[in-house]
Amino acid sequence: MESREPEILDVVGVGFGPSNLSLAVALEESPDPVTSAFFERQPSLGWHRGMLLPSARMQVSFLKDLATFRNPASNFSFISYLHDVGRLTRFVNNQDFFPTRREFHDYLEWAESKLMQPVTYNSEVTAIGPAPAAGPGAADRVRVTVRDAAGDSRQVDARNVVISTGLVPRMPVGLEPDEFVWHSSQFLHNFRRRNSGELKRVAVVGGGQSAAEIVRFLYDSLPDAKVSAIIPSYGYSIADDTPFANQVFDPGAVDSYYHGSQRSKDAVWHYHKNTNYSVVDDEVIRGLYERAYEEDFSKGDRLEFLNLARVVDVKRVGSETRITVHSLVSEESYDLDVDVLVCATGYDPMDPAEILGELDAYCVHDTQGRHRVGRDYRLVTTPELDCGIYLQGGTEHTHGLASSLLSNIAVRSGEIAHSIAARRSGAHEKGINE
């Protein structure tokens, strides 16, 4: 069979969650025509499907959608979605800035369905490397190898690549997920596969929003089960979503963080980490406390909170899962037999080096081994590589708290789209990546 030269595109997107969906919208609305392709290894668009609990709400305003902060008149806004599906009036009457996660996920699917440029699903990017140079000088494009569900591979050349492979689920040290030990990212999938009547005792480890929501869901869904919440702190800590604290997620805060000193960066994390990390919304905390109070009043024992504790070991004993819990109060350990252990222990940022492969050798790193990233989210590269490699995530050290969150997604995607267009017109020669 005669081999064909790979097609050359302006942009290839690796991964297709909300971040690259927002980028696809920004590219489509851009006045500069851009050729693009997005590849996603999942069979369809999915955003934390394992945590789309019926009562779980968004922790950011519906206005922080895929497009509004970049383009308030966008046809891809959450408001446009509500109008299109006939729920705008009822949503307004609901008087709530925070839709459920299930509704927001439906909005994401709606936006994806409106794109002119289709996404290729069941397609995994297996390698990225410099494309063979057409002549002397720096490589100005990358070659992306994509494998489909049938195992067949093809190659695409691109002048820019945008990596958005998402967060990596984090388990407690020494624990691996299986049919009895679940990470919260797979909670609903695993829960639906089980006969709920067989779940008589379930433990949830973690002190953040997902942990608290899962405890609430299990307590409400399993009337005959005992639910044990294993919390590393004395209790759930409230998320600071007050107006002044929320300014840390403003688009302008990215500039302050990026251009600030290391001392100012450390201060932001020290003072404002409680806006998002290992914290729980007030409504969820109060709801759980009310349930615990009712249990105490009725002399029930279906809900218990093991505070200042952590799981140090898990093993199968007969038909049960035996977890060893270590108390930070008594410094003693004890065993707890459960049917299932749910680890709502968070996520690690994506590591770009894993997908970059040989391309990582062309990327500049700081003294701590982290990638240097330009203000436009483009990796700083050596002179031998002149194409654009952009990150949607994995930039907390350079761009701050909102790097992996929805809060700044529309503006970030707009900045990346603008940078790609500017580079194509030659503006990168004037130092746009400095």
Side-chain angles (χ1 to χ4, degrees):
M1 181 181 294
E2 184 179 348
S3 62
R4 295 184 302 171
E5 282 295 312
E7 58 181 317
I8 302 175
L9 301 171
D10 291 315
V11 186
V12 162
V14 182
F16 201 72
S19 292
N20 268 353
L21 171 56
S22 179
L23 175 64
V25 170
L27 292 175
E28 191 156 307
E29 294 185 335
S30 171
D32 305 295
V34 172
T35 58
S36 64
F38 291 85
F39 299 101
E40 169 57 53
R41 62 183 177 182
Q42 294 188 87
S44 62
L45 175 69
W47 175 69
H48 296 301
R49 286 185 181 273
M51 279 299 297
L52 295 180
L53 305 177
S55 56
R57 291 194 167 276
M58 297 293 294
Q59 293 177 278
V60 297
S61 165
F62 69 89
L63 292 172
K64 293 184 175 181
D65 56 27
L66 298 170
T68 296
F69 271 40
R70 174 185 56 80
N71 174 19
S74 173
N75 291 327
F76 289 87
S77 71
F78 189 79
I79 293 293
S80 294
Y81 154 75
L82 290 174
H83 182 270
D84 192 45
V85 299
R87 281 201 308 274
L88 179 57
T89 301
R90 297 191 68 181
F91 183 87
V92 173
N93 289 340
N94 206 32
Q95 299 183 20
D96 198 331
F97 260 64
F98 307 98
T100 65
R101 284 202 201 121
R102 293 200 300 177
E103 184 174 26
F104 198 81
H105 195 282
D106 191 66
Y107 155 65
L108 297 177
E109 293 178 314
W110 169 87
E112 187 264 355
S113 71
K114 286 170 58 68
L115 289 172
M116 298 292 290
Q117 172 66 45
V119 183
T120 306
Y121 292 103
N122 286 313
S123 298
E124 182 177 8
V125 172
T126 58
I128 305 176
D140 62 354
R141 63 182 190 268
V142 295
R143 179 155 294 174
V144 181
T145 303
V146 185
R147 183 175 59 214
D148 63 22
D152 297 325
S153 294
R154 67 183 177 106
Q155 293 181 322
V156 179
D157 283 7
R159 298 177 182 87
N160 302 277
V161 60
V162 184
I163 300 173
S164 180
T165 52
L167 301 171
V168 181
R170 180 174 61 240
M171 294 288 290
V173 176
L175 272 63
E176 294 293 333
D178 58 30
E179 61 177 310
F180 306 105
V181 180
W182 308 342
H183 188 270
S184 57
S185 60
Q186 296 298 309
F187 172 72
L188 268 184
H189 306 312
N190 291 331
F191 181 81
R192 288 166 177 163
R193 282 195 288 263
R194 293 292 297 263
N195 181 350
S196 59
E198 297 176 352
L199 298 177
K200 300 300 182 184
R201 180 152 194 177
V202 182
V204 182
V205 58
Q209 181 78 10
S210 294
E213 288 177 345
I214 290 172
V215 169
R216 180 178 65 178
F217 174 84
L218 290 171
Y219 178 81
D220 294 346
S221 302
L222 303 175
D224 298 321
K226 181 167 185 175
V227 182
S228 301
I230 305 170
I231 307 173
S233 54
Y234 198 77
Y236 297 114
S237 298
I238 191 169
D240 186 354
D241 62 351
T242 53
F244 285 112
N246 262 344
Q247 291 180 124
V248 75
F249 299 119
D250 290 354
V254 177
D255 282 323
S256 298
Y257 189 93
Y258 185 86
H259 297 293
S261 65
Q262 187 58 51
R263 184 178 180 183
S264 71
K265 289 180 171 67
D266 293 341
V268 169
W269 282 96
H270 175 74
Y271 286 111
H272 297 293
K273 191 175 182 179
N274 67 336
T275 54
N276 181 71
Y277 296 89
S278 299
V279 289
V280 183
D281 286 345
D282 175 78
E283 172 264 332
V284 179
I285 293 176
R286 292 186 182 279
L288 280 177
Y289 195 86
E290 289 172 0
R291 289 165 173 80
Y293 185 86
E294 179 60 28
E295 281 287 314
D296 184 60
F297 171 75
S298 60
K299 303 297 188 292
D301 66 347
R302 288 189 50 234
L303 183 60
E304 69 173 350
F305 296 91
L306 307 177
N307 301 325
L308 291 171
R310 58 192 180 96
V311 174
V312 295
D313 190 33
V314 177
K315 59 185 176 183
R316 287 294 292 171
V317 178
S319 62
E320 295 183 317
T321 297
R322 179 163 295 169
I323 62 178
T324 302
V325 181
H326 182 77
S327 170
L328 300 178
V329 177
S330 65
E331 291 297 344
E332 296 178 348
S333 298
Y334 55 92
D335 291 334
L336 192 66
D337 289 340
V338 298
D339 297 306
V340 166
L341 171 66
V342 183
C343 299
T345 43
Y347 299 82
D348 291 321
M350 71 172 187
D351 181 5
E354 294 183 8
I355 188 66
L356 288 173
E358 64 175 291
L359 209 60
D360 194 51
Y362 296 89
C363 299
V364 180
H365 298 72
D366 64 18
T367 56
Q368 298 184 47
R370 302 171 301 189
H371 289 92
R372 284 188 58 198
V373 189
R375 175 59 186 84
D376 57 354
Y377 300 94
R378 180 187 171 223
L379 287 177
V380 178
T381 56
T382 62
E384 292 80 17
L385 191 70
D386 193 35
C387 56
I389 307 172
Y390 296 85
L391 300 183
Q392 296 244 48
T395 59
E396 288 85 354
H397 63 293
T398 53
H399 290 70
L401 283 161
S403 292
S404 60
L405 307 178
L406 291 175
S407 297
N408 211 27
I409 189 173
V411 174
R412 179 173 69 243
S413 294
E415 290 173 343
I416 293 174
H418 175 76
S419 175
I420 290 170
R423 279 176 45 76
R424 190 175 57 175
S425 66
H428 64 289
E429 297 176 1
K430 301 177 183 179
I432 194 170
N433 195 42
E434 296 302 322

